[in-house]
Amino acid sequence: VQLQASGGGLVQAGGSLRLSCAASGLTFSRYAMAWFRQAPGKERECVSVISRSGGNTYYGDSVKGRFTISRDNAKKTVYLQMNSLNVEDTAVYYCAAEHTILTAPIATQQTSYDYWGQGTQVTVSS
């Protein structure tokens, strides 16, 4: 199984980035997908989660209204559109996959996730 995250970079405050995470080696539609992030000196936190079908989503309080998660099961890819970025969004962003059933609730704990990508750096300058 591989989760390949991409799309990170350096952006000015107020700008936008779109992260992608391409999955291989798994039946993508059987996995809920999440984005976590970890800033220097801080614990890894759950940014956003999308259910297997895409019908349910979760956003952390700090990103609500600015970030949008989506998925394309045909392309085995999950996206994170990040708008109105600020310096506090600077972190390494990781995608993660959780094998779950259709009716399972959204999981925000790291330990719920079975596979992780390598991370992509997002740096927001003031």
Side-chain angles (χ1 to χ4, degrees):
V1 174
Q2 272 197 323
L3 299 178
Q4 184 69 41
S6 61
L10 174 64
V11 63
Q12 286 191 330
S16 298
L17 283 174
R18 188 193 196 204
L19 304 183
S20 299
C21 175
S24 60
L26 53 73
T27 305
F28 188 70
S29 61
R30 294 181 181 176
Y31 287 78
M33 299 298 296
W35 289 96
F36 287 77
R37 70 184 180 186
Q38 188 166 21
K42 294 188 177 181
E43 293 187 355
R44 191 172 296 188
E45 64 170 337
C46 183
V47 174
S48 186
V49 183
I50 189 165
S51 62
R52 287 174 45 168
S53 66
N56 291 323
T57 57
Y58 162 88
Y59 296 96
D61 288 342
S62 61
V63 306
K64 279 180 184 175
R66 300 188 298 121
F67 290 11
T68 303
I69 192 169
S70 61
R71 66 188 293 159
D72 185 332
N73 283 355
K75 294 183 178 180
K76 296 186 177 183
T77 301
V78 61
Y79 306 97
L80 187 67
Q81 178 67 43
M82 305 186 294
N83 298 330
S84 302
L85 285 161
N86 56 57
V87 294
E88 287 76 28
D89 296 316
T90 295
V92 178
Y93 284 71
Y94 300 89
C95 60
E98 177 202 18
H99 188 266
T100 186
I101 60 175
L102 270 176
T103 55
I106 291 283
T108 60
Q109 306 91 335
Q110 295 181 57
T111 53
S112 296
Y113 288 83
D114 304 296
Y115 302 106
W116 291 81
Q118 85 286 5
T120 185
Q121 176 71 47
V122 172
T123 303
V124 185
S125 63
S126 59

